[in-house]
Structure formats: C-alpha cells, structure tokens
Amino acid sequence: MDSLFDTQAAESRARVAPLAVRMRPRTLDDFVGQQHIVGPDSYLRRMIEADALTSLILFGPAGTGKTTLARIIANRTEAYFEEVSAVTGSVKDLRAAIEAASNRLAISQQRTILFIDEIHRFSKSQQDALLHAVEDRIVVLIGATTENPYFEVNSPLVSRSRVLELQALSDDDIRELLNRTLSSSRGLDHAVTVDSDALDALSITAGGDARVALTSLELAAQLAAHSDQPGTITLQLVQDVMPSRMLPYDKGGDMHYDVISAFIKSMRGSDPDAALYWMARMIHGGEDPKFIARRMLIFASEDVGNADPQALLIADAAFRAAEIIGMPECRINLAQAAVYLALAPKSNAAYVGIDKALAEVREGKARPVPSYLRDRTRPGSDQYGPYLYPHSYPNHWVDQDYLPEGLARGDFYTPDRIGWEDRALTRLDEIIDNQSGTPLP
C-alpha cells in the first residue's frame, strides 16, 4: 500500500512531467487514432475483453502510441508491467525480469507484461533469451519497434507473437488530441487559447507524431505566457517553436524504403508532380542526394531503357551533379532529371531481356558457340564455318544467326513500339527489306 509520501511524490512528479506524459491515455476509449487496432470490433479489444492476452509486437512510426498502448493493456488486464530497455538492457537484465515474472506467477498468479521498446535493437542472443519465457507464457511480451519486425526481429519470436501495425496519426487525430489537451485538467486546463490557424499549423507540422504535437504545444504555451497576447498561442509562436514540418523519415528504415518506392513508382507511372513530392520528402528528411541519383540511374535503364537512350545520360549527369555540387543546389539537378525520367517514354525490354537471358544461362542447356562465331586465332580455326562480315554487305547487315542452336531471335528482347526503340526497329525492318544478300564488290 502506498504511503502518504509516495502519493505526494507521485503528484509532484506529475506536475512537472512533460505534457506528452501527463496526457498519456489511460484507457482504450481515450486512445486517439488506430481504430483498426483499438476500435470496438478490433482484435486487440476483443482479446483484452476475453482476457486472452498473447504476446504482441507493435510496429509503427514514432509518436503513434506504442508505449501508451502497452501500458493501457497492462492496466486493463491488471497485469504487472515490467519495462526493459533495448538500448541499455543486457541478457542479465532480461533473465532477472523473467525470473521475477516466474516467481510472481507462482506466488500470486499475477501475469507479467514485459514491455521492450525498440526491440529490434536487442541482439540475437538477447532476443533468443526471451523465447522460452514467451513460449511458456511466463511473460506476455509486448515489443515496440519502428522497424519492420519481419526483417529486424528474430523469426521464432515473431512467430510466437501477433504483429500489430500502427499508422501515423492523421492531422484530424492530432487536432483532436490538441483540443483535449487544451481543456483537460491533466493538460493545460483552459490556461491558454489557440488561434485556429495556429491549431492547424500544430496539427500539420507534427507529421502524425503525437509526442511532437504535444511538445510543440507545450513550448508554444510557455512562450505565450510572455508574449504580446498573454495566454494566446498565435501562428507566429507555432512557427517559432517548429519552423518546419516534422514528417517521419528514417534513412535506414521502412519509411526510407517506402518513400523511395513511391518515388520510383511515380516516375514509372509518368507522374512528375508525384515524383517531385516524394523526392522532396527525401530531401527534407536529409537523404543523401547521391542515393536519390543512384536510383534514378537504375531507373533510366530499368524503366525507360531504349525508348529514350538519352535518359541514361540525363541520370548520369544528375549523379555527377550530386557528387560535385552537393546540397542544397543539386536539388535542382535532381528535380530536372526526375521530371525528364517521369515524362520519358517507357520500355523495360532491356531489363526483362537480360533477366530472361540469365535464366536461360542458369537453367537451360549448355549451348556451344556456333563455329563461325568462334575466335579464329587458334589452330584449326580454318575448319570453322564461314562468318559473314556485315560491313561487306549493303546497309552493313546480313542475315546470319548469332544465337546458339535451340534459341531464336525474340526469345529475350521483345521491345515495345515506343520512342527510340520504335524508330530503331523500323530502321531495322527497312534494312532487312532492302537487303540483297549479295556481298559488296
């Protein structure tokens, strides 16, 4: 039982705690957003109501409520809540927590929720130390991570857990949270008012992160107390505490791959506006401009190909600019290249062709080089079949098989009639039609 001093200490800590901590939801009904997880008919709510809690891995961007959700689950189920840091914790710490959970279960039949934030930071040996306890339900694991658990968490641990993905909060979700905070006794309790444009700015610049939104509101409220309009948060105050939008972007994680994927797909879909938007997301997030340029170099051959051979030169020039000029000026070069690639005619014939050829080489027969195509500097080459030298024929072309036996023209390269490829194939058709087959004198 807590003493009077314990209660007073807790109240003192609550008074000085950050606004984001004071406003942490205590029930699922207070939880903002994530209705696919905490809504009335959601899996998690049904599981809690049926007291059938299983191990969970909560996966999503920062500030979406992973830690809060873990605490709500523990309170709702009356389980003991144990938190181990994935940054500073060791295997020894894990084993101590598991042993305590085992004793707790044996003595008082109380279950233990073992919460591990950023679980992907645990080493393989640390994650393996959890397996037995999770499998035997000595602990109910709730792991939180901003990285895709299917790549960053050991497969045996993932297979013993239910993975729930949290989404970045919408601007409306953030606005609802801010309005609650302004009126709540645990929040600002009507101590300040917020102009409508300032509230919009706070909602938008948070980038879907509740913690960022509440921290910005708290800083703006502190400035408002000493402003020209005491007690009023204006747009200028919001811009002072958060001059730019905090969109989530992790240069080594899922958001990194999601945004670059959207960038590539936008260029492939011939949408220059979308390509520029996703490029801006990467630049704003501090992405290495050479990484963006490298992906455009690949795209120039993979998706534009010979429909516009100039695209490869444009992409190469953009990469050189990123190397030599650097940010912020090279953003202009990258933007020019991205728009060109997005609007260029598209052909993946070369990309598809080389993969078909590689598949044939790996899986097909071992096909010898036709004798007339072999090197003629070795002894016995005079017995090879005759090689027809194309430059000795009209239009510098002669009908001759260059593939090994069993393969035919068109097995690998099947271009679309678009851009330069269309012109090149038309030119080849003209050459073949006008070919006499007689060597030049």
Side-chain angles (χ1 to χ4, degrees), residues 8-217:
Q8 290 176 340
E11 291 175 351
S12 298
R13 286 194 299 269
R15 280 194 297 271
V16 299
L19 189 58
V21 174
R22 302 203 307 268
M23 285 303 298
R24 180 168 280 158
R26 298 172 180 176
T27 67
L28 290 178
D29 292 331
D30 291 339
F31 204 82
V32 175
Q34 316 301 341
Q35 288 304 296
H36 64 293
I37 290 178
V38 302
D41 297 321
S42 66
Y43 162 80
L44 182 59
R45 189 180 285 264
R46 295 198 312 270
M47 182 182 69
I48 293 172
E49 290 173 350
D51 197 22
L53 194 63
T54 60
S55 291
L56 302 171
I57 295 179
L58 305 177
F59 157 47
T64 52
K66 298 184 293 294
T67 303
T68 297
L69 189 55
R71 291 181 180 275
I72 290 174
I73 293 170
N75 291 335
R76 180 67 183 269
T77 59
E78 298 184 353
Y80 184 85
F81 188 82
E82 178 85 37
E83 184 171 355
V84 174
S85 171
V87 177
T88 60
S90 63
V91 173
K92 181 180 178 181
D93 296 327
L94 273 180
R95 286 174 178 163
I98 292 169
E99 183 178 356
S102 181
N103 293 335
R104 197 175 295 117
L105 190 62
I107 296 170
S108 62
Q109 288 78 53
Q110 184 183 27
R111 290 178 299 176
T112 297
I113 289 180
L114 178 61
F115 177 68
I116 303 176
D117 198 13
E118 300 298 328
I119 190 173
H120 64 278
R121 294 181 182 271
F122 265 164
S123 66
K124 184 178 184 300
S125 61
Q126 287 171 307
Q127 293 184 31
D128 286 344
L130 288 167
L131 288 176
H132 175 71
V134 171
E135 192 167 48
D136 292 346
R137 295 196 175 180
I138 294 171
V139 297
V140 175
L141 171 68
I142 299 183
T145 175
T146 56
E147 306 295 333
N148 191 324
Y150 294 105
F151 297 124
E152 302 296 336
V153 179
N154 289 0
S155 296
L157 204 54
V158 172
S159 68
R160 290 164 173 79
S161 308
R162 175 70 181 259
V163 176
L164 299 178
E165 182 174 0
L166 283 73
Q167 307 293 336
L169 298 179
S170 69
D171 293 347
D172 288 340
D173 291 334
I174 296 292
R175 190 176 290 104
E176 178 186 346
L177 176 61
L178 292 173
N179 282 322
R180 285 188 190 180
T181 304
L182 290 167
S183 60
S184 172
S185 58
R186 292 190 288 125
L188 297 178
D189 198 14
H190 302 287
V192 296
T193 59
V194 183
D195 292 347
S196 60
D197 53 354
L199 187 63
D200 288 341
L202 282 167
S203 303
I204 293 170
T205 54
D209 189 322
R211 190 180 299 108
V212 168
L214 292 176
T215 300
S216 300
L217 176 62

